[in-house]
PDB file of all heavy atoms in Angstrom:
ATOM      1  N   GLY A  20     -36.858  -8.889  27.680  1.00  0.00           N
ATOM      2  CA  GLY A  20     -36.477  -8.102  28.860  1.00  0.00           C
ATOM      3  C   GLY A  20     -36.868  -8.816  30.137  1.00  0.00           C
ATOM      4  O   GLY A  20     -36.084  -8.869  31.096  1.00  0.00           O
ATOM      5  N   SER A  21     -38.068  -9.407  30.168  1.00  0.00           N
ATOM      6  CA  SER A  21     -38.475 -10.045  31.416  1.00  0.00           C
ATOM      7  C   SER A  21     -37.725 -11.363  31.619  1.00  0.00           C
ATOM      8  O   SER A  21     -37.397 -11.717  32.757  1.00  0.00           O
ATOM      9  CB  SER A  21     -40.000 -10.196  31.494  1.00  0.00           C
ATOM     10  OG  SER A  21     -40.431 -11.128  30.558  1.00  0.00           O
ATOM     11  N   LEU A  22     -37.422 -12.076  30.546  1.00  0.00           N
ATOM     12  CA  LEU A  22     -36.587 -13.279  30.693  1.00  0.00           C
ATOM     13  C   LEU A  22     -35.204 -12.920  31.240  1.00  0.00           C
ATOM     14  O   LEU A  22     -34.638 -13.615  32.078  1.00  0.00           O
ATOM     15  CB  LEU A  22     -36.429 -13.998  29.351  1.00  0.00           C
ATOM     16  CG  LEU A  22     -37.658 -14.736  28.795  1.00  0.00           C
ATOM     17  CD1 LEU A  22     -37.354 -15.304  27.413  1.00  0.00           C
ATOM     18  CD2 LEU A  22     -38.088 -15.846  29.743  1.00  0.00           C
ATOM     19  N   THR A  23     -34.667 -11.796  30.728  1.00  0.00           N
ATOM     20  CA  THR A  23     -33.347 -11.344  31.168  1.00  0.00           C
ATOM     21  C   THR A  23     -33.366 -10.970  32.644  1.00  0.00           C
ATOM     22  O   THR A  23     -32.472 -11.342  33.415  1.00  0.00           O
ATOM     23  CB  THR A  23     -32.904 -10.136  30.318  1.00  0.00           C
ATOM     24  OG1 THR A  23     -32.925 -10.524  28.953  1.00  0.00           O
ATOM     25  CG2 THR A  23     -31.519  -9.669  30.691  1.00  0.00           C
ATOM     26  N   GLU A  24     -34.418 -10.238  33.020  1.00  0.00           N
ATOM     27  CA  GLU A  24     -34.538  -9.814  34.416  1.00  0.00           C
ATOM     28  C   GLU A  24     -34.616 -11.042  35.327  1.00  0.00           C
ATOM     29  O   GLU A  24     -33.961 -11.109  36.353  1.00  0.00           O
ATOM     30  CB  GLU A  24     -35.797  -8.959  34.572  1.00  0.00           C
ATOM     31  CG  GLU A  24     -35.815  -8.194  35.871  1.00  0.00           C
ATOM     32  CD  GLU A  24     -37.121  -8.360  36.594  1.00  0.00           C
ATOM     33  OE1 GLU A  24     -38.142  -7.848  36.123  1.00  0.00           O
ATOM     34  OE2 GLU A  24     -37.099  -9.025  37.658  1.00  0.00           O
ATOM     35  N   ARG A  25     -35.397 -12.008  34.872  1.00  0.00           N
ATOM     36  CA  ARG A  25     -35.570 -13.237  35.641  1.00  0.00           C
ATOM     37  C   ARG A  25     -34.221 -13.959  35.807  1.00  0.00           C
ATOM     38  O   ARG A  25     -33.858 -14.372  36.903  1.00  0.00           O
ATOM     39  CB  ARG A  25     -36.575 -14.102  34.882  1.00  0.00           C
ATOM     40  CG  ARG A  25     -36.822 -15.470  35.443  1.00  0.00           C
ATOM     41  CD  ARG A  25     -37.744 -15.404  36.662  1.00  0.00           C
ATOM     42  NE  ARG A  25     -37.891 -16.740  37.216  1.00  0.00           N
ATOM     43  CZ  ARG A  25     -38.723 -17.660  36.731  1.00  0.00           C
ATOM     44  NH1 ARG A  25     -39.477 -17.362  35.682  1.00  0.00           N
ATOM     45  NH2 ARG A  25     -38.799 -18.847  37.279  1.00  0.00           N
ATOM     46  N   ALA A  26     -33.468 -14.054  34.707  1.00  0.00           N
ATOM     47  CA  ALA A  26     -32.182 -14.742  34.753  1.00  0.00           C
ATOM     48  C   ALA A  26     -31.242 -14.060  35.737  1.00  0.00           C
ATOM     49  O   ALA A  26     -30.575 -14.707  36.551  1.00  0.00           O
ATOM     50  CB  ALA A  26     -31.561 -14.786  33.354  1.00  0.00           C
ATOM     51  N   LEU A  27     -31.246 -12.729  35.658  1.00  0.00           N
ATOM     52  CA  LEU A  27     -30.328 -11.962  36.503  1.00  0.00           C
ATOM     53  C   LEU A  27     -30.734 -12.088  37.974  1.00  0.00           C
ATOM     54  O   LEU A  27     -29.888 -12.336  38.849  1.00  0.00           O
ATOM     55  CB  LEU A  27     -30.345 -10.497  36.047  1.00  0.00           C
ATOM     56  CG  LEU A  27     -29.155  -9.626  36.395  1.00  0.00           C
ATOM     57  CD1 LEU A  27     -27.845 -10.269  35.956  1.00  0.00           C
ATOM     58  CD2 LEU A  27     -29.309  -8.246  35.737  1.00  0.00           C
ATOM     59  N   SER A  28     -32.028 -11.944  38.271  1.00  0.00           N
ATOM     60  CA  SER A  28     -32.428 -11.992  39.684  1.00  0.00           C
ATOM     61  C   SER A  28     -32.270 -13.420  40.234  1.00  0.00           C
ATOM     62  O   SER A  28     -31.841 -13.595  41.375  1.00  0.00           O
ATOM     63  CB  SER A  28     -33.852 -11.460  39.884  1.00  0.00           C
ATOM     64  OG  SER A  28     -34.766 -12.224  39.160  1.00  0.00           O
ATOM     65  N   ASP A  29     -32.571 -14.424  39.420  1.00  0.00           N
ATOM     66  CA  ASP A  29     -32.336 -15.803  39.867  1.00  0.00           C
ATOM     67  C   ASP A  29     -30.852 -16.045  40.143  1.00  0.00           C
ATOM     68  O   ASP A  29     -30.490 -16.676  41.138  1.00  0.00           O
ATOM     69  CB  ASP A  29     -32.814 -16.802  38.800  1.00  0.00           C
ATOM     70  CG  ASP A  29     -34.336 -16.977  38.831  1.00  0.00           C
ATOM     71  OD1 ASP A  29     -34.990 -16.359  39.705  1.00  0.00           O
ATOM     72  OD2 ASP A  29     -34.867 -17.700  37.966  1.00  0.00           O
ATOM     73  N   ALA A  30     -29.998 -15.531  39.251  1.00  0.00           N
ATOM     74  CA  ALA A  30     -28.555 -15.742  39.409  1.00  0.00           C
ATOM     75  C   ALA A  30     -28.064 -15.117  40.720  1.00  0.00           C
ATOM     76  O   ALA A  30     -27.263 -15.703  41.445  1.00  0.00           O
ATOM     77  CB  ALA A  30     -27.809 -15.174  38.207  1.00  0.00           C
ATOM     78  N   ILE A  31     -28.569 -13.930  40.997  1.00  0.00           N
ATOM     79  CA  ILE A  31     -28.126 -13.232  42.209  1.00  0.00           C
ATOM     80  C   ILE A  31     -28.672 -13.928  43.463  1.00  0.00           C
ATOM     81  O   ILE A  31     -27.959 -14.141  44.441  1.00  0.00           O
ATOM     82  CB  ILE A  31     -28.561 -11.752  42.165  1.00  0.00           C
ATOM     83  CG1 ILE A  31     -27.795 -11.035  41.054  1.00  0.00           C
ATOM     84  CG2 ILE A  31     -28.298 -11.057  43.494  1.00  0.00           C
ATOM     85  CD1 ILE A  31     -28.434  -9.773  40.589  1.00  0.00           C
ATOM     86  N   TRP A  32     -29.942 -14.306  43.416  1.00  0.00           N
ATOM     87  CA  TRP A  32     -30.562 -15.030  44.551  1.00  0.00           C
ATOM     88  C   TRP A  32     -29.822 -16.339  44.802  1.00  0.00           C
ATOM     89  O   TRP A  32     -29.473 -16.678  45.930  1.00  0.00           O
ATOM     90  CB  TRP A  32     -32.040 -15.281  44.252  1.00  0.00           C
ATOM     91  CG  TRP A  32     -32.731 -16.047  45.339  1.00  0.00           C
ATOM     92  CD1 TRP A  32     -32.771 -17.405  45.472  1.00  0.00           C
ATOM     93  CD2 TRP A  32     -33.435 -15.503  46.450  1.00  0.00           C
ATOM     94  NE1 TRP A  32     -33.466 -17.762  46.601  1.00  0.00           N
ATOM     95  CE2 TRP A  32     -33.889 -16.612  47.246  1.00  0.00           C
ATOM     96  CE3 TRP A  32     -33.727 -14.215  46.896  1.00  0.00           C
ATOM     97  CZ2 TRP A  32     -34.622 -16.439  48.404  1.00  0.00           C
ATOM     98  CZ3 TRP A  32     -34.470 -14.057  48.062  1.00  0.00           C
ATOM     99  CH2 TRP A  32     -34.899 -15.160  48.810  1.00  0.00           C
ATOM    100  N   LEU A  41     -31.341 -23.533  41.632  1.00  0.00           N
ATOM    101  CA  LEU A  41     -31.769 -22.305  40.952  1.00  0.00           C
ATOM    102  C   LEU A  41     -30.712 -21.863  39.939  1.00  0.00           C
ATOM    103  O   LEU A  41     -31.037 -21.436  38.827  1.00  0.00           O
ATOM    104  CB  LEU A  41     -32.019 -21.200  41.994  1.00  0.00           C
ATOM    105  CG  LEU A  41     -32.713 -19.933  41.482  1.00  0.00           C
ATOM    106  CD1 LEU A  41     -34.089 -20.254  40.898  1.00  0.00           C
ATOM    107  CD2 LEU A  41     -32.863 -18.901  42.616  1.00  0.00           C
ATOM    108  N   GLY A  44     -31.024 -23.740  36.876  1.00  0.00           N
ATOM    109  CA  GLY A  44     -32.184 -23.234  36.123  1.00  0.00           C
ATOM    110  C   GLY A  44     -31.797 -22.057  35.219  1.00  0.00           C
ATOM    111  O   GLY A  44     -32.283 -21.933  34.096  1.00  0.00           O
ATOM    112  N   VAL A  45     -30.901 -21.198  35.738  1.00  0.00           N
ATOM    113  CA  VAL A  45     -30.454 -20.045  34.944  1.00  0.00           C
ATOM    114  C   VAL A  45     -29.734 -20.539  33.690  1.00  0.00           C
ATOM    115  O   VAL A  45     -29.960 -20.050  32.574  1.00  0.00           O
ATOM    116  CB  VAL A  45     -29.531 -19.121  35.766  1.00  0.00           C
ATOM    117  CG1 VAL A  45     -28.951 -18.015  34.897  1.00  0.00           C
ATOM    118  CG2 VAL A  45     -30.289 -18.529  36.951  1.00  0.00           C
ATOM    119  N   LEU A  46     -28.880 -21.560  33.870  1.00  0.00           N
ATOM    120  CA  LEU A  46     -28.149 -22.124  32.730  1.00  0.00           C
ATOM    121  C   LEU A  46     -29.119 -22.692  31.687  1.00  0.00           C
ATOM    122  O   LEU A  46     -28.955 -22.507  30.480  1.00  0.00           O
ATOM    123  CB  LEU A  46     -27.208 -23.243  33.195  1.00  0.00           C
ATOM    124  CG  LEU A  46     -25.738 -22.854  33.416  1.00  0.00           C
ATOM    125  CD1 LEU A  46     -25.597 -21.802  34.493  1.00  0.00           C
ATOM    126  CD2 LEU A  46     -24.914 -24.091  33.782  1.00  0.00           C
ATOM    127  N   GLY A  48     -32.164 -21.842  31.141  1.00  0.00           N
ATOM    128  CA  GLY A  48     -33.018 -20.837  30.498  1.00  0.00           C
ATOM    129  C   GLY A  48     -32.334 -20.093  29.353  1.00  0.00           C
ATOM    130  O   GLY A  48     -32.989 -19.387  28.576  1.00  0.00           O
ATOM    131  N   ASP A  49     -31.013 -20.273  29.248  1.00  0.00           N
ATOM    132  CA  ASP A  49     -30.249 -19.462  28.292  1.00  0.00           C
ATOM    133  C   ASP A  49     -30.650 -19.706  26.836  1.00  0.00           C
ATOM    134  O   ASP A  49     -30.708 -18.783  26.029  1.00  0.00           O
ATOM    135  CB  ASP A  49     -28.755 -19.734  28.488  1.00  0.00           C
ATOM    136  CG  ASP A  49     -27.905 -18.728  27.728  1.00  0.00           C
ATOM    137  OD1 ASP A  49     -28.320 -17.559  27.650  1.00  0.00           O
ATOM    138  OD2 ASP A  49     -26.844 -19.122  27.210  1.00  0.00           O
ATOM    139  N   VAL A  52     -33.583 -17.709  25.607  1.00  0.00           N
ATOM    140  CA  VAL A  52     -33.233 -16.303  25.414  1.00  0.00           C
ATOM    141  C   VAL A  52     -32.499 -16.117  24.086  1.00  0.00           C
ATOM    142  O   VAL A  52     -32.817 -15.212  23.290  1.00  0.00           O
ATOM    143  CB  VAL A  52     -32.372 -15.796  26.588  1.00  0.00           C
ATOM    144  CG1 VAL A  52     -31.724 -14.457  26.258  1.00  0.00           C
ATOM    145  CG2 VAL A  52     -33.227 -15.671  27.837  1.00  0.00           C
ATOM    146  N   ILE A  93     -26.698  -9.680  28.575  1.00  0.00           N
ATOM    147  CA  ILE A  93     -26.935  -9.608  30.023  1.00  0.00           C
ATOM    148  C   ILE A  93     -27.298 -11.004  30.549  1.00  0.00           C
ATOM    149  O   ILE A  93     -26.829 -11.424  31.613  1.00  0.00           O
ATOM    150  CB  ILE A  93     -28.046  -8.585  30.359  1.00  0.00           C
ATOM    151  CG1 ILE A  93     -27.587  -7.173  29.966  1.00  0.00           C
ATOM    152  CG2 ILE A  93     -28.383  -8.611  31.847  1.00  0.00           C
ATOM    153  CD1 ILE A  93     -28.689  -6.118  30.016  1.00  0.00           C
ATOM    154  N   THR A  94     -28.097 -11.732  29.769  1.00  0.00           N
ATOM    155  CA  THR A  94     -28.434 -13.099  30.181  1.00  0.00           C
ATOM    156  C   THR A  94     -27.182 -13.974  30.229  1.00  0.00           C
ATOM    157  O   THR A  94     -27.018 -14.786  31.148  1.00  0.00           O
ATOM    158  CB  THR A  94     -29.452 -13.728  29.211  1.00  0.00           C
ATOM    159  OG1 THR A  94     -30.458 -12.769  28.961  1.00  0.00           O
ATOM    160  CG2 THR A  94     -30.074 -14.963  29.804  1.00  0.00           C
ATOM    161  N   ASP A  95     -26.298 -13.803  29.240  1.00  0.00           N
ATOM    162  CA  ASP A  95     -25.034 -14.549  29.272  1.00  0.00           C
ATOM    163  C   ASP A  95     -24.260 -14.245  30.559  1.00  0.00           C
ATOM    164  O   ASP A  95     -23.649 -15.140  31.149  1.00  0.00           O
ATOM    165  CB  ASP A  95     -24.160 -14.182  28.068  1.00  0.00           C
ATOM    166  CG  ASP A  95     -24.700 -14.767  26.776  1.00  0.00           C
ATOM    167  OD1 ASP A  95     -25.566 -15.661  26.846  1.00  0.00           O
ATOM    168  OD2 ASP A  95     -24.260 -14.331  25.687  1.00  0.00           O
ATOM    169  N   LEU A  96     -24.307 -12.968  30.966  1.00  0.00           N
ATOM    170  CA  LEU A  96     -23.610 -12.590  32.199  1.00  0.00           C
ATOM    171  C   LEU A  96     -24.271 -13.248  33.411  1.00  0.00           C
ATOM    172  O   LEU A  96     -23.577 -13.699  34.337  1.00  0.00           O
ATOM    173  CB  LEU A  96     -23.570 -11.069  32.344  1.00  0.00           C
ATOM    174  CG  LEU A  96     -22.761 -10.333  31.265  1.00  0.00           C
ATOM    175  CD1 LEU A  96     -22.919  -8.826  31.385  1.00  0.00           C
ATOM    176  CD2 LEU A  96     -21.281 -10.716  31.343  1.00  0.00           C
ATOM    177  N   ALA A  97     -25.607 -13.326  33.384  1.00  0.00           N
ATOM    178  CA  ALA A  97     -26.315 -14.012  34.475  1.00  0.00           C
ATOM    179  C   ALA A  97     -25.881 -15.480  34.525  1.00  0.00           C
ATOM    180  O   ALA A  97     -25.680 -16.045  35.613  1.00  0.00           O
ATOM    181  CB  ALA A  97     -27.824 -13.905  34.270  1.00  0.00           C
ATOM    182  N   VAL A  98     -25.705 -16.069  33.360  1.00  0.00           N
ATOM    183  CA  VAL A  98     -25.243 -17.458  33.292  1.00  0.00           C
ATOM    184  C   VAL A  98     -23.853 -17.584  33.924  1.00  0.00           C
ATOM    185  O   VAL A  98     -23.572 -18.531  34.685  1.00  0.00           O
ATOM    186  CB  VAL A  98     -25.242 -17.963  31.827  1.00  0.00           C
ATOM    187  CG1 VAL A  98     -24.449 -19.263  31.687  1.00  0.00           C
ATOM    188  CG2 VAL A  98     -26.669 -18.142  31.322  1.00  0.00           C
ATOM    189  N   ILE A 100     -22.646 -15.759  36.283  1.00  0.00           N
ATOM    190  CA  ILE A 100     -22.814 -15.670  37.739  1.00  0.00           C
ATOM    191  C   ILE A 100     -23.295 -17.019  38.288  1.00  0.00           C
ATOM    192  O   ILE A 100     -22.797 -17.513  39.313  1.00  0.00           O
ATOM    193  CB  ILE A 100     -23.804 -14.544  38.118  1.00  0.00           C
ATOM    194  CG1 ILE A 100     -23.218 -13.177  37.722  1.00  0.00           C
ATOM    195  CG2 ILE A 100     -24.103 -14.557  39.630  1.00  0.00           C
ATOM    196  CD1 ILE A 100     -24.181 -12.016  37.878  1.00  0.00           C
ATOM    197  N   ALA A 101     -24.255 -17.633  37.565  1.00  0.00           N
ATOM    198  CA  ALA A 101     -24.765 -18.938  37.996  1.00  0.00           C
ATOM    199  C   ALA A 101     -23.635 -19.977  38.031  1.00  0.00           C
ATOM    200  O   ALA A 101     -23.581 -20.830  38.923  1.00  0.00           O
ATOM    201  CB  ALA A 101     -25.888 -19.392  37.072  1.00  0.00           C
ATOM    202  N   ILE A 125     -30.765  -4.623  38.215  1.00  0.00           N
ATOM    203  CA  ILE A 125     -32.124  -5.049  37.850  1.00  0.00           C
ATOM    204  C   ILE A 125     -33.072  -3.848  37.804  1.00  0.00           C
ATOM    205  O   ILE A 125     -33.890  -3.707  36.897  1.00  0.00           O
ATOM    206  CB  ILE A 125     -32.633  -6.119  38.832  1.00  0.00           C
ATOM    207  CG1 ILE A 125     -31.854  -7.415  38.603  1.00  0.00           C
ATOM    208  CG2 ILE A 125     -34.129  -6.362  38.666  1.00  0.00           C
ATOM    209  CD1 ILE A 125     -32.090  -8.470  39.649  1.00  0.00           C
TER     210      ILE A 125
END
Side-chain angles (χ1 to χ4, degrees):
Chain A
S21 69
L22 288 176
T23 303
E24 195 229 291
R25 175 77 183 279
L27 202 53
S28 60
D29 282 358
I31 293 160
W32 178 274
L41 191 60
V45 174
L46 262 61
D49 191 35
V52 166
I93 296 170
T94 315
D95 287 346
L96 295 173
V98 166
I100 295 172
I125 290 170

